[in-house]
Amino acid sequence: MPISRSVKDALGSSSMIRKMFEEGNLLKKQHGADKVFDFSIGNPDIEPPDAFHRVLLRFAQEDAAGLTKGVHGYMPNPGFPAVRDALAKKASREQGVTLDGSHIIMTVGAAGGLNVVFKTILNPADEVIVPRPYFMEYKSYVGNHEGILREVDSLPDFNLDLDAISKALSEKTAAVLINSPHNPTGRIYPAATLRALAEILEAHGKKTGRYPFLVADEPYREIVYISGGTPPVLAAYRHSISVTSYSKSLSLPGERIGYIAVNPGIQDEEDLLSGLIYATRVLGYVNAPALMQRIVAELTEESVDVGVYARRRDAFKTVLDKAGIPYANPEGAFYLFAKVPPKKGGSTAVTDIVGDDGAFVNHLKQYLILGVPGSGFGKPGWLRFAYCVDETLIRASGEAFKKAMETWV
Ligand SMILES: Cc1ncc(COP(=O)(O)O)c(C=O)c1O
């Protein structure tokens, strides 16, 4: 029995990334892991803060001593009430609006949260507008629920192109999906941009009777290098939903824990909250992992040491500056989005991936440098480097980058 056409097609189109991953592993086997400059994967390598281990240990001890009962059982689908209350306080502080526990739905990471949101709000052929470049899984998250991802350009500095978003709005628009701090560009959308976007969406809603949701994917909200942090989306627009996780802020991607924060006063609030709870159940998540819920509720003031990422960012910028490779200056997250540099002379590069970003990625591979082509993010001509690797490896890559540029002719 063959697998479904849609999954078969998706396997075909995601093979570029899979190939990168497999090639990276092969190169590490051949040359040794410390000789390969693998900047392809956004898997945080910093350990969770000490406070995480302390709480984990305390819960395990209390549990083993029989002091807690029922903490590993099923619970209400949106999560433990006490956890939702604690996170409502945190989200209220960050988002500049007052939420209570009913506005928080605990999720299986941000990925699970986005699927829950799109399952809840999309009718078949509804559109979700997303600025390019974008996290490549969005197409699946929207397509999973019969929606269509409508891509629009960003401005050259990767801020939102409000005109492009405005032109893409129609009666089919269910949502605008933004991600800040941004993967792959590291851009943080300024508060003024969010306010201007909100005005456009309000005006569209007034005219058509359908207010698009503004869905903010915010797993990097706390990995910020500029002053002022990540401007709040909930304060900017009434019909907004924030989806976040602890994958990056506490370095817990494998533990699959996050939450949705819904703006109080959002359109059809009661239906929406009930829908999100229903979707959590029927998508098969049932509820977010119980132990992790209890732990993150105790760690609302904690995060990984962002200084570590900041130092790596600076080291990587120096490497690229010296090699003469232009890039977008990252304000947050842990990615550098670099522009494929012009060649010095005639082409000798051979590509088996589409576009010049593929050619440059292949060229770098000869020097054991691994990045991901921008085509995979809907932005050919660019490539992404993830700096979830030790600073010494970043510094050591300088020589390899320099050599690679000498032969990029
Ligand atoms: C932009 C973006 N959104 C969502 C996710 C998924 O995060 P999570 O591990 O919390 O599901 C990622 C993971 O890398 C991401 O980069």
Side-chain angles (χ1 to χ4, degrees), residues 9 25 44 57 80 82 144-145 192 208 238 245 253 255 259 266 312 372 379 382:
D9 290 349
N25 284 343
L57 201 59
F80 289 118
N144 285 346
H145 310 291
T208 62
R238 192 158 52 103
S245 77
E255 301 297 351
Y259 62 92
I266 198 167
R312 291 172 177 184
V372 179
K379 189 75 183 165
W382 291 73

Side-chain angles (χ1 to χ4, degrees), residues 5 10 38 72 95 100 104 107-108 117 140 146 190 195 211 229 278 285 287 308 331 356-357 359 366-368 394:
R5 275 190 300 278
D38 188 352
H72 302 295
Q95 294 286 348
D100 63 44
I104 302 289
T107 64
V108 177
V117 168
S140 304
E146 298 185 65
R195 278 196 302 273
Y211 288 88
Y278 165 81
Y285 302 125
N287 56 250
V308 175
E331 298 168 318
D356 57 357
D357 48 338
Q366 295 170 42
Y367 298 85
L368 304 183
I394 295 172

Side-chain angles (χ1 to χ4, degrees), residues 30-49:
Q30 285 169 351
H31 301 273
D34 59 331
K35 300 285 181 306
V36 179
F37 306 110
D38 188 352
F39 304 125
S40 62
I41 306 290
N43 190 9
D45 63 318
I46 299 181
E47 285 303 309

Side-chain angles (χ1 to χ4, degrees), residues 183-246:
N183 174 9
T185 67
R187 192 77 167 91
I188 294 177
Y189 301 132
T193 302
L194 297 179
R195 278 196 302 273
L197 174 61
E199 273 173 31
I200 291 167
L201 300 182
E202 283 283 357
H204 177 78
K206 213 170 273 170
K207 199 172 73 192
T208 62
R210 186 178 192 186
Y211 288 88
F213 291 105
L214 178 57
V215 180
D217 178 26
E218 309 193 298
Y220 301 94
R221 155 166 271 290
E222 285 164 52
I223 316 277
V224 174
Y225 313 117
I226 55 170
S227 60
T230 304
V233 168
L234 266 52
Y237 179 57
R238 192 158 52 103
H239 307 298
S240 55
I241 302 169
S242 158
V243 181
T244 191
S245 77
Y246 290 92

